Structure formats: C-alpha cells, structure tokens
Amino acid sequence: DPAQRRVRELAQLSQQLQRVHPNVLAKVLKRATIYQNEEIVVINKPYGLPVHGGPGVRNCIADVLPVLAKMLENMNTEPLHLCHRLDKETTGVMVLARSREAADRVRLLFKTRQVEKIYWAITLGDPDPTEGIVEIPIVEKEVQSHQPHYKMTLAPNYRLCPGDGEVVKVRKNRHAESAVTRYRLLGSSSACSLLELQPITGVKHQIRVHLAYGLGCPILGDHKYSHWSKLAPQKLPEITLKRLKLEQSKARHLPLHLHAHRLSLPLGQHIDLVCKPPHFFQKTLEKLQLDVTKD
C-alpha cells in the first residue's frame, strides 16, 4: 500500500540519518539551506534528525556544524552555532549563526520574545473555539504506568470545585513554567484540522501539550501526547484511516505533523523566513482534503 510504504520510508530515512557519515549529513543540511548572510545560515530541518546528542544518538545537527560551515564558506571559517532548538520530529525553519556574537544576539531575540514563530500542525479534531489563546502553565511529571516515563503536562492555576462547580484558584506549582500559545484554524476535513500556531513562550513540548491536553486536539502522529497514562500508538478515527489508506495497526509509524513554517527575525533589517512543509506533510493534507490557500 502506497501510504504504508511512505510511512515506512520516513521511519527508515530517520534511521539512515543516524547511520551516515557526518560529512554526508552536512551535505544534506547544505542542500536544506534556504537563506544565508554574513551573520546567519537558515536551514529547513529534516524530519527525524535530533538537534543535540544523547543516548542512542549517533548523528545530530550540533555535531556536524563545523563540517557544514566549511562546506558553506572557506576552509578557515569558524563552526556554526545553534541559536534555538526544534524537536527531533519537528521540521522547518531553523537558524544557525556564523559567529558566537551573532548567536548571542539571536538567542537574546528569542529570549526576549522578539522573534515571531509560526508553526503548522495537522491535528485530530477541531479546536473550540476555532481561534484563541491557550495560557496554561506546563510542568514535567512522571507517569506511573506499566512502563514509568516522564511527560510534560498542564499545571492550571484554577480548578472546578467538585461540589458546586465553582472556579477556585490553586496554589501555583513552583516547577511549572508559564506557557502561552496563540492558535487559528486554517481548515478542517476528515476528522482532522490544519492549525496555525504561534508560541509566545518557549516551553519544552509546549505546542504538543497545549493542543493535546488544553484543546483536546492532539497532533497527528503524536503518539506520546495522545494518551496520558500509557505509551501506545495514536488511535485514529475511521474516516481519517480511510482517507490516509492506513490500517490502525500501522498507525504507530505515522510521523508527527508539526512544522516550523515561518520565522520573523529583527536582525538589522527584518528577515522573514518561510519553509514549505515536507513532502509527507503535503501528501497528508491532500489525502485528508485539507485545502491550504495560505502561503
């Protein structure tokens, strides 16, 4: 089946990126370059490639920055520097700096929320209301199940009283971080939606948690945040499976449909950077009949 083959190919590509020589990976990133000037280099980050190293990670973006810098410039250039990060499964706009000074400037812009970030996500279900702001703090917690693991989750400042349903302020969790996400529905079809998202803050897994637990619309392919108490493949509606030509037993291979679509950077002049979604994302939009008229 073509859909199942594509899902399998994407999983294999992610594994291949871990096995290739660093020079080959640097070439992949060079081909993914969408903008560069004397201060920054911007890439369209591929799916399944970690930004940083860790257990089980052989290849990551951070490790090949010296090689990539030489490929883009002359042999004496200094290594490129990371300015921010994207999750392993997230694709799209990623900014690298040519010098430590430029990296510090860009990081400060991110820290002081002067960078406008726009993401696209395909989600299960429609958000209600169709446009708004989710402002709920986020905290990391251990999930006690047959396989204990950690997840980010909501730490709301208010709760409903069981007796009378009155809204009561709760004591703030000292480990929780403020998290604010603006969202807007771009289209819906086949029990799925295409959302435009603007994270105002930058908490780990913020968009995924706010969509899944705040709006009840987990991202398509987000197997981690589609359930709270277990690690299991996402359960898809019948119409979604039918449109994707996918069996539920193969849903575990479905990739995360979260894409860093646009980034506006006030660096000297205003730099507006746009990345088209990857091929698999566009094919999913077509199959779900989610029309995108936005740029």
Side-chain angles (χ1 to χ4, degrees), residues 93-162:
V93 185
M94 186 167 181
V95 182
L96 308 168
R98 291 190 186 274
S99 67
R100 196 172 296 280
E101 295 74 34
D104 288 342
R105 282 179 64 198
V106 175
R107 285 177 196 139
L108 186 62
L109 292 174
F110 273 98
K111 191 176 179 183
T112 53
R113 300 178 191 171
Q114 294 182 64
V115 180
E116 185 181 296
K117 299 168 284 184
I118 301 292
Y119 286 74
W120 278 5
I122 300 175
T123 65
L124 296 181
D126 301 336
D128 183 18
T130 56
E131 186 172 347
I133 294 173
V134 182
E135 186 174 356
I136 310 174
I138 290 175
V139 69
E140 189 167 36
K141 282 188 179 175
E142 185 176 6
V143 181
Q144 296 295 341
S145 66
H146 67 285
Q147 192 180 348
H149 57 284
Y150 285 87
K151 280 183 185 174
M152 306 303 286
T153 190
L154 302 177
N157 292 325
Y158 299 88
R159 66 176 175 83
L160 291 176
C161 230

Side-chain angles (χ1 to χ4, degrees), residues 64 214 228:
V64 299
W228 167 250

Side-chain angles (χ1 to χ4, degrees), residues 49 60 79 98 101 116 127 143-144 205 224 236 244 263 293:
L49 181 62
C60 64
R98 291 190 186 274
E101 295 74 34
E116 185 181 296
V143 181
Q144 296 295 341
H205 295 175
K224 180 165 187 167
L236 300 177
L244 293 175
L263 199 143
T293 52

Side-chain angles (χ1 to χ4, degrees), residues 118-121 127 130 183-188 193-197 261 290-295:
I118 301 292
Y119 286 74
W120 278 5
T130 56
Y183 71 91
R184 181 165 71 98
L185 180 72
L186 297 181
S188 61
S193 299
L194 175 65
L195 300 188
E196 179 186 87
L197 303 141
H261 177 60
L290 278 165
D291 295 326
V292 188
T293 52
K294 309 288 179 289
D295 57 5

Side-chain angles (χ1 to χ4, degrees), residues 264-278:
S264 294
L265 202 63
L267 197 65
Q269 85 268 32
H270 207 85
I271 303 169
D272 201 36
L273 304 154
V274 179
C275 269
K276 280 186 179 177

Side-chain angles (χ1 to χ4, degrees), residues 37-271:
N37 63 17
E38 64 283 352
E39 287 192 294
I40 60 170
V41 173
V42 182
I43 61 169
N44 184 353
K45 181 191 165 297
Y47 178 86
L49 181 62
V51 173
H52 294 284
V57 175
R58 279 186 56 192
N59 275 335
C60 64
I61 291 175
D63 287 350
V64 299
L65 292 182
V67 185
L68 179 59
K70 288 176 183 176
M71 286 181 178
L72 291 168
E73 284 289 330
N74 56 52
M75 296 299 286
N76 300 320
T77 191
E78 83 169 273
L80 292 164
H81 300 264
L82 292 170
C83 299
H84 62 121
R85 61 176 298 162
L86 293 175
D87 286 350
K88 175 184 171 184
E89 296 88 0
T90 306
T91 57
V93 185
M94 186 167 181
V95 182
L96 308 168
R98 291 190 186 274
S99 67
R100 196 172 296 280
E101 295 74 34
D104 288 342
R105 282 179 64 198
V106 175
R107 285 177 196 139
L108 186 62
L109 292 174
F110 273 98
K111 191 176 179 183
T112 53
R113 300 178 191 171
Q114 294 182 64
V115 180
E116 185 181 296
K117 299 168 284 184
I118 301 292
Y119 286 74
W120 278 5
I122 300 175
T123 65
L124 296 181
D126 301 336
D128 183 18
T130 56
E131 186 172 347
I133 294 173
V134 182
E135 186 174 356
I136 310 174
I138 290 175
V139 69
E140 189 167 36
K141 282 188 179 175
E142 185 176 6
V143 181
Q144 296 295 341
S145 66
H146 67 285
Q147 192 180 348
H149 57 284
Y150 285 87
K151 280 183 185 174
M152 306 303 286
T153 190
L154 302 177
N157 292 325
Y158 299 88
R159 66 176 175 83
L160 291 176
C161 230
D164 52 14
E166 189 184 343
V167 176
V168 182
K169 194 165 176 35
V170 297
R171 195 175 69 182
K172 190 174 180 184
N173 186 317
R174 62 194 176 94
H175 298 297
E177 295 184 71
S178 296
V180 183
T181 308
R182 185 178 282 130
Y183 71 91
R184 181 165 71 98
L185 180 72
L186 297 181
S188 61
S189 173
S190 316
C192 291
S193 299
L194 175 65
L195 300 188
E196 179 186 87
L197 303 141
Q198 184 183 0
I200 309 301
T201 52
V203 181
K204 178 183 174 184
H205 295 175
Q206 174 180 316
I207 291 175
R208 296 165 67 179
V209 172
H210 272 173
L211 289 183
Y213 302 149
L215 290 171
C217 297
I219 297 173
L220 185 66
D222 194 350
H223 309 291
K224 180 165 187 167
Y225 289 106
S226 291
H227 320 273
W228 167 250
S229 60
K230 56 185 177 179
L231 289 168
Q234 189 175 53
K235 186 90 171 101
L236 300 177
E238 204 58 50
I239 187 168
T240 309
L241 289 168
K242 191 176 175 184
R243 288 273 165 84
L244 293 175
K245 294 188 171 67
L246 198 65
E247 297 167 20
Q248 178 59 47
S249 60
K250 298 285 190 284
R252 69 185 184 278
H253 297 304
L254 203 62
L256 182 77
H257 286 69
L258 178 61
H259 175 69
H261 177 60
R262 168 177 269 152
L263 199 143
S264 294
L265 202 63
L267 197 65
Q269 85 268 32
H270 207 85
I271 303 169

